């Protein structure tokens, strides 16, 4: 898996760097312009185009495009768990507040290849990470928080509950 793993890591890094630049509060045409700029730097240009199209058609893209979203990109945190000596530290890919839902959603981009266990397999791999993000944000903000993954390979926006 050396070469494939290396290529996958390069692509995942590219995807994360690209989505940080998307002007989420602007119309999707502005998102598309950012993609066209970024695609030239993608280590897997055809994959990038395919997965970007999946994203634009996804439930997540439609949800993010709705007005009234407060979208925080690459939100770092350091949180000391209540009653524990342990601290959690991380960076949330997206944290989105929706006033109409009175809730935050934490969304983590996953560029992994989908294996034989499908999206459920990835949810199980990353459940601990998303649970930590949800717990930290819920405690820090005293707010309702829901966690999810966005799988670039399939265009699925998967809740992690």
């Amino acid at each position: 898996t050396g070469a494939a793993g290396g290529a996958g890591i390069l692509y995942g890094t590219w995807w994360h760097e690209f989505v940080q630049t998307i002007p989420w509060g602007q119309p999707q045409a502005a998102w598309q312009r950012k993609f066209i700029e970024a695609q030239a730097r993608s280590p897997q240009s055809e994959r990038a185009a395919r997965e970007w199209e999946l994203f634009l058609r996804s439930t997540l893209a439609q949800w993010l495009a709705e007005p009234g979203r407060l979208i925080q990109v690459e939100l770092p945190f350091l949180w000391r768990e209540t009653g524990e000596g342990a601290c959690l530290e991380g960076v949330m890919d997206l944290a989105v507040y929706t006033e109409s839902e009175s809730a935050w959603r934490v969304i983590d981009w996953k560029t992994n290849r989908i294996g034989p266990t499908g999206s459920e397999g990835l949810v199980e791999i990353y459940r601990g990470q998303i649970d930590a993000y949800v717990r930290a944000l819920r405690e820090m903000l005293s707010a309702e928080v829901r966690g999810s993954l966005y799988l670039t390979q399939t265009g699925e926006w998967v809740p992690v509950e």
Side-chain angles (χ1 to χ4, degrees):
T1 62
I9 291 169
L10 288 174
Y11 180 80
T13 300
W14 172 83
W15 178 272
H16 280 80
E17 289 173 353
F18 154 59
V19 293
Q20 288 175 42
T21 70
I22 294 174
W24 295 110
Q26 295 180 21
Q28 283 191 358
W31 303 4
Q32 181 66 24
R33 284 190 295 276
K34 281 294 180 186
F35 173 75
I36 291 167
E37 290 171 17
Q39 186 183 15
R41 295 184 302 278
S42 173
Q44 297 179 42
S45 185
E46 289 179 14
R47 177 182 175 188
R50 183 175 60 253
E51 292 184 0
W52 177 243
E53 285 304 314
L54 281 173
F55 173 72
L56 289 177
R57 293 193 309 265
S58 73
T59 306
L60 177 58
Q62 293 167 23
W63 185 81
L64 287 169
E66 291 175 14
R69 306 266 185 246
L70 171 61
I71 301 174
Q72 299 296 311
V73 178
E74 292 293 304
L75 182 65
F77 70 94
L78 176 62
W79 169 67
R80 184 174 179 189
E81 292 190 84
T82 308
E84 312 246 345
C87 288
L88 291 176
E89 180 178 18
V91 179
M92 300 175 202
D93 290 343
L94 282 179
V96 182
Y97 181 74
T98 304
E99 193 170 340
S100 64
E101 297 174 15
S102 296
W104 283 85
R105 292 187 190 230
V106 173
I107 301 140
D108 204 72
W109 307 109
K110 295 300 176 197
T111 58
N112 305 53
R113 295 283 181 201
I114 308 298
T117 56
S119 59
E120 278 307 307
L122 282 182
V123 168
E124 288 315 307
I125 291 169
Y126 293 106
R127 180 178 301 283
Q129 174 192 6
I130 300 306
D131 286 349
Y133 290 173
V134 167
R135 279 195 336 265
L137 201 56
R138 187 176 286 150
E139 288 291 321
M140 289 187 287
L141 300 176
S142 297
E144 176 60 32
V145 181
R146 300 178 190 115
S148 59
L149 301 175
Y150 176 78
L151 311 179
T152 64
Q153 187 185 14
T154 61
E156 292 174 88
W157 183 24
V158 183
V160 178
E161 300 174 307

